[in-house]
Amino acid sequence: MTILQVSNVTGGYTRKPVIKNLSFTIEKGELVGLIGLNGAGKSTTIKHIIGTLLPQDGEIRLNGVTLKENMDNYRKSFSYIPETPILYDELTLKEHLELTAMAYGLDEKTLKERSDFLLKEFRMEKRLNWFPSHFSKGMRQKVMIMCAFLINPPLYIIDEPFVGLDPLGIQSLLEQMDAKKQEGASILMSTHILSTAEKYCDRIILLHEGRVRAQGTMDDLRAAFNMPNASLDDLYIAMTKEQDNEQHA
Amino acid sequence: MNNMHNIWKERFLHYVNEVQKYMRFIVTGHIAIVFVFVAGAAGYQYSEWLKVAPASFPAEWLVAAVVGILLAFSRPTTLIREPDQVYLLPLETQMPAYFKKAVKWTFWSQLIIPAVVYIVAIPLLNTVTELSSQQVWLGLAFIIILKYLNVVIEFNYRFANRGQAIAIDRLARGVLSILAIETALTSSIYVAAIYLVLFFAYKMSLQKRTAGQPVPYEHFVRLEQNRMLRFYRFANYFTDVPHLRGTIRHRAWLDSVYKWIPFARKNTQLYLVFRTFIRTDDHFYLWVRLTAIAAIITAFVDIAIVAWIVVAALAFATTLQLKVALLSNSEFRMDMLFPIAPTQRSQAVEKLLRITSVVQAIIVTLCAMMQPYFYVIPVIVIIVSELTLRLSKK
């Protein structure tokens, strides 16, 4: 079953498009890596999916609906962890969880069960009544992660998740991602850390200059580049070089 | 030399632009109207009081004290910036040309405050003292000279001592300035000139000490940053200064307020907006400040129509400014992704502002209990707030 369907999307901040004719899908229970250099269009793609930017052309379907058709259903179907944590300075950790639970229609019992588990998993139980100004970068990231996992959506959109987290935090996040996958959720993760992407992602989308350069499993990619046994790093460098050669030719 | 001239010019233009950008909002802001009212009322009271002012009133001392204290605060405006510590280092020997311009600007830009205070006091001096008008205007000229000396001395003191123990320098200059003005107004301007000699000697000794000292960049940078921060804080009362992040305070004593908001999806924005208002200093103190001004004015003004106008203007300013502040979408917030109705935020803000206007009405009315027709005041506050909510743009 397809959870996310991006069809021929062109878009950006201004008239000049950053992403061009982008198409890909994410199936139920899949972990998909969105890989690209700085400026390749990863964040822009994510902004279109979460609906803060609207496509100039093309269509994005999440759980069967577009944002326009059914805003509530669309927004309920995903949770988003931004690259830099975006918190409310005026809310405590506990209030961040409560606010999120309210917005997504969780009852108080479910909130209690899920937040107790997440707080323990991310070792934040003792910081429930703290304000974000007292949190380190990693703790802020953990608040975002906990809010995202609290609502149990069919799709998780995670932008550069590993920056700023300590090794235990990374481990907890990977475990949680795996657990959600087992339960049938899908994950779209953008990252620069290619070794982790290679190890954990079911499929990879290589983004280059706003276009999908290649996509598929590691084996698909190796076949496409005709480089058996290559790592994702090798494939990536080969792709950028190929692009350069094309430009110079 | 030419080089330094250009650097100053560039700095100055940039500074003027920055100040102008916010002055527009300050001058056109709602509080400006209140200031005009307050100034008008104060002027009226002052002229009424002059009619009955006793001849024994110590006008010279009062003027000397107020102007003297103002003169002691002559903080230099150098427009020095943080990167200067690195980039202007090779130009160290040319810096005196730059600072000369800075001192000049400091003098002209700050002169207006003591001068205006003195000019406002002239009717008082004419009423209760025997001074001839020539003496009164000579007094103003004397204050201008004193201001110049104060500016130059404070700059040199800060340069020589990196701002350490500036309070002692200010105290000394303040006392000297007060005595000098008092002497100029009561004895003769020629006797007062002795004080100028003292100031001059102090200036020369400081200037000697600054010679050969490196520019105290760190001190001047801190001074400039604090000055701009004060300006931005002030401007923030009138408009939204983007790079000024408001301080957050828990205000635990208000935690019980949140109990009135039940846990439900339709209350998501209420949950957030109440906490944002109570815990953000900018929002909370805006309300406290405007409510306090309204309360104090209604407590003391016994002309009902004036009290009504002030209360209405302040209720309008409170509601409008809080609405704009709470509905600003300039920064991305996570609640923009929430699966809730997009109108929920504005409905929550309206509910909050209705409550704050009722509380404001109660406080102001309680303070106005001793005045005629005080019972009209809550009606005005609530109606003006409601109309502001409904008629201002979303």
Side-chain angles (χ1 to χ4, degrees), chain B residues 5-283:
Chain B
H5 178 77
N6 287 340
I7 292 178
W8 170 261
K9 207 169 124 190
E10 202 181 292
R11 288 287 160 87
F12 186 67
L13 278 178
H14 179 264
Y15 167 70
V16 169
N17 277 337
E18 186 73 6
V19 171
Q20 254 176 9
K21 194 161 89 191
Y22 291 107
M23 278 312 270
R24 266 201 326 242
F25 295 106
I26 293 172
V27 174
T28 57
H30 320 101
I31 296 191
I33 301 169
V34 177
F35 279 149
V36 170
F37 267 102
V38 171
Y44 177 73
Q45 298 274 3
Y46 177 52
S47 66
E48 287 297 297
W49 175 78
L50 278 183
K51 288 178 194 158
V52 296
S56 62
F57 189 79
E60 297 96 332
W61 275 110
L62 183 71
V63 171
V66 173
V67 175
I69 290 167
L70 288 174
L71 289 178
F73 289 87
S74 293
R75 195 180 278 116
T77 306
T78 58
L79 306 185
I80 288 286
R81 295 208 298 251
E82 209 161 6
D84 293 348
Q85 314 180 46
V86 178
Y87 293 98
L88 292 187
L89 220 47
L91 300 173
E92 183 97 23
T93 52
Q94 295 177 40
M95 287 309 281
Y98 178 93
F99 286 125
K100 216 168 153 184
K101 287 185 180 296
V103 168
K104 216 164 150 189
W105 163 247
T106 308
F107 168 66
W108 286 112
S109 60
Q110 294 181 0
L111 180 61
I112 184 153
I113 294 170
V116 163
V117 168
Y118 183 77
I119 290 167
V120 166
I122 287 177
L124 171 68
L125 290 174
N126 284 338
T127 315
V128 302
T129 68
E130 307 283 298
L131 291 169
S132 69
S133 77
Q134 194 201 3
Q135 280 173 308
V136 168
W137 290 108
L138 266 178
L140 180 61
F142 190 69
I143 284 167
I144 294 172
I145 298 169
L146 275 180
K147 177 65 191 177
Y148 181 74
L149 287 168
N150 271 287
V151 167
V152 175
I153 290 173
E154 178 153 347
F155 171 78
N156 280 294
Y157 183 91
R158 285 181 184 277
F159 200 113
N161 299 304
R162 267 124 238 273
Q164 270 174 12
I166 186 73
I168 293 171
D169 164 70
R170 278 184 172 166
L171 186 68
R173 278 185 294 112
V175 170
L176 273 182
S177 301
I178 293 171
L179 292 174
I181 299 166
E182 212 278 329
T183 311
L185 291 179
T186 52
S187 319
S188 97
I189 200 105
Y190 301 107
V191 181
I194 296 171
Y195 287 101
L196 293 186
V197 175
L198 282 176
F199 267 110
F200 208 74
Y202 185 26
K203 168 180 168 277
M204 294 309 283
S205 85
L206 280 173
Q207 270 175 339
K208 222 184 209 162
R209 275 181 53 206
T210 58
Q213 281 220 46
V215 175
Y217 280 114
E218 266 177 44
H219 175 62
F220 283 151
V221 166
R222 208 176 58 237
L223 217 57
E224 284 303 292
Q225 283 173 344
N226 288 342
R227 195 169 52 77
M228 285 320 277
L229 197 68
R230 273 198 306 275
F231 176 69
Y232 289 136
R233 286 253 159 80
F234 178 67
N236 205 41
Y237 293 150
F238 306 88
T239 177
D240 191 30
V241 180
H243 48 274
L244 198 67
R245 260 268 153 107
T247 350
I248 300 291
R249 250 174 268 262
H250 186 177
R251 277 184 263 281
W253 58 281
L254 283 169
D255 275 358
S256 55
V257 172
Y258 311 134
K259 292 201 186 101
W260 295 92
I261 304 165
F263 188 95
R265 197 162 150 223
K266 65 175 183 353
N267 292 338
T268 306
Q269 287 289 1
L270 270 182
Y271 182 99
L272 179 57
V273 163
F274 268 69
R275 284 167 174 78
T276 305
F277 168 70
I278 287 176
R279 293 178 181 170
T280 309
D281 275 3
D282 280 349
H283 305 337

Side-chain angles (χ1 to χ4, degrees), chain A residues 7-76:
Chain A
S7 331
N8 304 314
V9 168
T10 298
Y13 302 87
T14 55
R15 280 253 174 115
K16 194 169 177 289
V18 178
I19 51 175
K20 296 147 196 158
N21 209 14
L22 210 63
S23 297
F24 62 87
T25 57
I26 296 178
E27 302 298 318
K28 191 169 152 65
E30 240 187 345
L31 169 50
V32 176
L34 190 62
I35 313 289
L37 291 179
N38 296 326
K42 299 189 299 290
S43 292
T44 313
T45 306
I46 288 176
K47 279 182 181 148
H48 279 91
I49 299 171
I50 65 172
T52 51
L53 286 177
L54 295 175
Q56 293 162 9
D57 197 19
E59 180 186 79
I60 299 172
R61 277 188 183 276
L62 180 51
N63 225 357
V65 295
T66 66
L67 185 68
K68 234 183 188 166
E69 285 166 11
N70 191 336
M71 193 181 267
D72 258 24
N73 259 354
Y74 189 97
R75 288 198 168 154
K76 261 190 179 172

Side-chain angles (χ1 to χ4, degrees), chain B residues 321-363:
Chain B
Q321 294 196 50
L322 282 177
K323 184 176 171 180
V324 170
L326 288 168
L327 287 181
S328 122
N329 279 338
S330 53
E331 266 175 52
F332 177 76
R333 301 184 312 265
M334 285 307 276
D335 59 277
M336 293 172 178
L337 299 181
F338 286 169
I340 50 176
T343 51
Q344 218 190 75
R345 176 109 183 156
S346 58
Q347 282 162 0
V349 169
E350 278 172 22
K351 194 160 182 176
L352 168 80
L353 294 183
R354 281 196 184 107
I355 294 171
T356 57
S357 83
V358 169
V359 178
Q360 186 176 58
I362 293 171
I363 292 173

